[in-house]
PDB file of all heavy atoms in Angstrom:
ATOM      1  N   ARG A 362      27.775  14.152  37.112  1.00  0.00           N
ATOM      2  CA  ARG A 362      27.179  14.452  38.393  1.00  0.00           C
ATOM      3  C   ARG A 362      27.978  13.643  39.368  1.00  0.00           C
ATOM      4  O   ARG A 362      28.052  12.406  39.245  1.00  0.00           O
ATOM      5  CB  ARG A 362      25.784  14.004  38.378  1.00  0.00           C
ATOM      6  CG  ARG A 362      25.017  14.537  39.644  1.00  0.00           C
ATOM      7  CD  ARG A 362      23.485  14.384  39.561  1.00  0.00           C
ATOM      8  NE  ARG A 362      23.167  13.003  39.639  1.00  0.00           N
ATOM      9  CZ  ARG A 362      21.954  12.553  39.597  1.00  0.00           C
ATOM     10  NH1 ARG A 362      21.004  13.366  39.262  1.00  0.00           N
ATOM     11  NH2 ARG A 362      21.739  11.291  39.671  1.00  0.00           N
ATOM     12  N   HIS A 364      27.087  13.841  42.974  1.00  0.00           N
ATOM     13  CA  HIS A 364      26.395  13.636  44.084  1.00  0.00           C
ATOM     14  C   HIS A 364      24.960  13.513  43.782  1.00  0.00           C
ATOM     15  O   HIS A 364      24.421  13.994  42.670  1.00  0.00           O
ATOM     16  CB  HIS A 364      26.633  14.758  45.094  1.00  0.00           C
ATOM     17  CG  HIS A 364      28.121  14.787  45.493  1.00  0.00           C
ATOM     18  ND1 HIS A 364      28.662  13.911  46.384  1.00  0.00           N
ATOM     19  CD2 HIS A 364      28.975  15.669  45.075  1.00  0.00           C
ATOM     20  CE1 HIS A 364      30.031  14.317  46.541  1.00  0.00           C
ATOM     21  NE2 HIS A 364      30.206  15.326  45.742  1.00  0.00           N
ATOM     22  N   PRO A 365      24.094  12.810  44.683  1.00  0.00           N
ATOM     23  CA  PRO A 365      22.658  12.828  44.369  1.00  0.00           C
ATOM     24  C   PRO A 365      21.935  14.223  44.504  1.00  0.00           C
ATOM     25  O   PRO A 365      22.592  15.141  45.052  1.00  0.00           O
ATOM     26  CB  PRO A 365      22.131  11.928  45.570  1.00  0.00           C
ATOM     27  CG  PRO A 365      23.192  11.992  46.606  1.00  0.00           C
ATOM     28  CD  PRO A 365      24.489  12.186  45.878  1.00  0.00           C
ATOM     29  N   PRO A 366      20.853  14.374  43.992  1.00  0.00           N
ATOM     30  CA  PRO A 366      20.125  15.657  43.973  1.00  0.00           C
ATOM     31  C   PRO A 366      19.806  16.022  45.494  1.00  0.00           C
ATOM     32  O   PRO A 366      19.646  15.156  46.225  1.00  0.00           O
ATOM     33  CB  PRO A 366      18.921  15.438  43.057  1.00  0.00           C
ATOM     34  CG  PRO A 366      18.680  13.968  43.098  1.00  0.00           C
ATOM     35  CD  PRO A 366      20.141  13.265  43.178  1.00  0.00           C
ATOM     36  N   MET A 367      19.515  17.347  45.583  1.00  0.00           N
ATOM     37  CA  MET A 367      19.188  17.886  46.869  1.00  0.00           C
ATOM     38  C   MET A 367      18.216  18.919  46.670  1.00  0.00           C
ATOM     39  O   MET A 367      18.251  19.708  45.707  1.00  0.00           O
ATOM     40  CB  MET A 367      20.398  18.371  47.497  1.00  0.00           C
ATOM     41  CG  MET A 367      20.256  18.956  48.933  1.00  0.00           C
ATOM     42  SD  MET A 367      21.709  19.919  49.479  1.00  0.00           S
ATOM     43  CE  MET A 367      23.082  18.840  48.980  1.00  0.00           C
ATOM     44  N   VAL A 373      18.684  15.354  50.992  1.00  0.00           N
ATOM     45  CA  VAL A 373      19.100  14.601  49.793  1.00  0.00           C
ATOM     46  C   VAL A 373      18.084  13.661  49.285  1.00  0.00           C
ATOM     47  O   VAL A 373      17.511  12.904  49.958  1.00  0.00           O
ATOM     48  CB  VAL A 373      20.327  13.786  50.279  1.00  0.00           C
ATOM     49  CG1 VAL A 373      20.912  12.977  49.131  1.00  0.00           C
ATOM     50  CG2 VAL A 373      21.466  14.636  50.820  1.00  0.00           C
ATOM     51  N   LEU A 374      17.827  13.724  47.885  1.00  0.00           N
ATOM     52  CA  LEU A 374      16.704  13.056  47.320  1.00  0.00           C
ATOM     53  C   LEU A 374      17.118  11.715  46.723  1.00  0.00           C
ATOM     54  O   LEU A 374      18.336  11.509  46.382  1.00  0.00           O
ATOM     55  CB  LEU A 374      16.135  13.903  46.254  1.00  0.00           C
ATOM     56  CG  LEU A 374      15.775  15.315  46.601  1.00  0.00           C
ATOM     57  CD1 LEU A 374      15.246  16.139  45.433  1.00  0.00           C
ATOM     58  CD2 LEU A 374      14.685  15.298  47.646  1.00  0.00           C
ATOM     59  N   PRO A 375      16.291  10.836  46.556  1.00  0.00           N
ATOM     60  CA  PRO A 375      16.716   9.440  45.998  1.00  0.00           C
ATOM     61  C   PRO A 375      16.910   9.590  44.669  1.00  0.00           C
ATOM     62  O   PRO A 375      16.423  10.444  43.888  1.00  0.00           O
ATOM     63  CB  PRO A 375      15.501   8.582  46.300  1.00  0.00           C
ATOM     64  CG  PRO A 375      14.305   9.576  46.480  1.00  0.00           C
ATOM     65  CD  PRO A 375      14.922  10.832  47.039  1.00  0.00           C
TER      66      PRO A 375
END
Side-chain angles (χ1 to χ4, degrees):
R362 191 173 71 182
H364 301 281
M367 182 191 314
V373 178
L374 306 177

